[in-house]
Amino acid sequence: MSFRDNIRKVVPYTPGEQPKLSKMIKLNTNENPYPPSKEVEKVLQGLDMDRFKLYPDPKIEKLVTAIADNLGVASDKVFVGVGSDDVLAMAFMTFFNSDKPIIFPEVTYSFYDVWADLFKIPYKTFALKDDFSIDVKDFCVDNGGVVLANPNAPTGIYESLEFVEEVLKNNKDSVVIVDEAYIDFGGNSAISLLDRYENLVVVQTFSKSRSMAGMRIGFAVASPELIKAMNDVKYSYNSYTMSYASIEAGTAAVNDKEYFEQTRNKVILTREEAKKELTKRGFTFPDSMTNFIFATHKEKAAADIFEELKKRGIFVRYFNKPGIDNYLRITIGTDEQMKEFFDALDEILA
Ligand code: PMP
């Protein structure tokens, strides 16, 4: 027996590359190409240095209230964490304690199985349909919990609220987590279903539509009962998750509704243009409601395009995983970045 036998062994999640090049076009981790709101900048520049010597508010009241007001829900229905990864991990820890497996699609956000392994939660996955959409029947089996990314990643496919409601109706005895990291780019949030389904937890993030991946802010919206359960787990693990700086910056971001609308609309317009440009060049893709497009080329292998783009300082995401290993996930950049991306593609495909 050695101490090594007692070390927890896990296979970690592999995040997308964060290359340290000074000049590059980064379309590989679904970040927003626009900076955060000017209000965020102002708030950060005006931070009170004296406040940093104190612990931040463990209840994160200021940001919780700002998010709740923005959504038009009571503040006891909101939980805030360090990015939606933290919120999702807390939700897994809090709600998935059954001997029965939790369920999610085989092709989805690849952190779910990592958390399940880490927390020793049994899980079962099911295949997507040939067009990458989800068969609602696969969610209608006995389980210990349900996770649904909507829109799904990396496919970009948004399932309707009717679909989400069907999942909820068939899973009254499980907590259903709907991960809405990309919802602001086109879909309708399941938050509107909260009043009717007390087992629903909706998770969103500031990393994509609010351009704040570097600040690490995510949140869950659910019934006060479920939010209290998440807070109890949080206070049993790490009470001070959000720094004073992120609480202030997050609040400023939520309150600048105009900038939020402007930038998400810009991303949506560029995405729709990118769909046309990809089609012209022989790519096909499921229709995306996110800030990325999951595309495959009719002739040239995705792995080769990926490498060729990289040589030109353009980074997209490639998953070497059966079923999706001929696809590229291309984050929507600015119009200028997309032009450079398409110029490079023209060279590569010539
Ligand atoms: N869910 C999905 C589906 C994602 O793609 C991501 C981004 N990697 C996250 C959650 C986590 O994002 P963050 O922790 O930055 O909020």
Side-chain angles (χ1 to χ4, degrees), residues 13 83-85 88 109 112 149 153 179 181-182 205 207-208 216-217:
Y13 168 74
S84 57
D85 281 342
L88 287 162
Y109 185 34
Y112 302 152
D179 175 356
Y182 301 100
T205 179
S207 297
K208 318 293 177 182
R216 311 306 299 133
I217 304 173

Side-chain angles (χ1 to χ4, degrees), residues 128-192:
L128 295 178
K129 293 199 265 188
D130 287 346
D131 64 0
F132 289 151
S133 64
I134 301 171
D135 192 337
V136 77
K137 286 202 295 294
D138 289 318
F139 276 120
C140 303
V141 295
D142 197 29
N143 63 68
V146 175
V147 193
L148 167 67
N150 196 36
N152 197 13
T155 63
I157 297 177
Y158 166 72
E159 304 288 353
S160 68
L161 277 190
E162 289 73 42
F163 176 101
V164 179
E165 194 158 9
E166 196 61 28
V167 174
L168 286 160
K169 276 186 191 151
N170 282 286
N171 288 285
K172 295 239 157 120
D173 294 328
S174 300
V175 168
V176 175
I177 299 178
V178 182
D179 175 356
E180 294 189 336
Y182 301 100
I183 198 71
D184 293 327
F185 299 108
N188 291 314
S189 171
I191 289 174
S192 62

Side-chain angles (χ1 to χ4, degrees), residues 62-72 78 80 206 217 219 254:
K62 186 167 176 174
L63 182 51
V64 163
T65 308
I67 292 170
D69 289 352
N70 184 50
L71 296 171
V78 175
V80 172
F206 282 36
I217 304 173
F219 62 92
V254 180

Side-chain angles (χ1 to χ4, degrees), residues 157-290:
I157 297 177
Y158 166 72
E159 304 288 353
S160 68
L161 277 190
E162 289 73 42
F163 176 101
V164 179
E165 194 158 9
E166 196 61 28
V167 174
L168 286 160
K169 276 186 191 151
N170 282 286
N171 288 285
K172 295 239 157 120
D173 294 328
S174 300
V175 168
V176 175
I177 299 178
V178 182
D179 175 356
E180 294 189 336
Y182 301 100
I183 198 71
D184 293 327
F185 299 108
N188 291 314
S189 171
I191 289 174
S192 62
L193 301 175
L194 276 174
D195 287 343
R196 279 182 289 139
Y197 297 94
E198 55 184 3
N199 56 330
L200 168 63
V201 179
V202 180
V203 178
Q204 293 188 8
T205 179
F206 282 36
S207 297
K208 318 293 177 182
S209 55
R210 295 189 187 273
S211 310
M212 290 175 80
M215 191 53 80
R216 311 306 299 133
I217 304 173
F219 62 92
V221 194
S223 69
E225 180 192 359
L226 298 192
I227 293 300
K228 179 179 183 306
M230 285 185 77
N231 273 318
D232 287 346
V233 169
K234 176 189 127 168
Y235 295 135
S236 310
Y237 180 71
N238 178 7
S239 315
Y240 304 108
T241 53
M242 303 298 287
S243 70
Y244 156 55
S246 46
I247 296 172
E248 295 298 323
T251 307
V254 180
N255 290 338
D256 192 349
K257 296 190 171 92
E258 194 183 324
Y259 184 77
F260 167 75
E261 287 297 337
Q262 261 174 25
T263 45
R264 77 150 160 194
N265 287 336
K266 276 208 269 192
V267 170
I268 291 170
L269 284 175
T270 308
R271 175 190 72 207
E272 294 309 309
E273 234 9 78
K275 287 178 186 173
K276 292 184 207 154
E277 295 296 323
L278 284 168
T279 306
K280 269 195 225 164
R281 289 166 176 80
F283 285 91
T284 51
F285 43 85
D287 193 29
S288 166
M289 290 283 257
T290 62

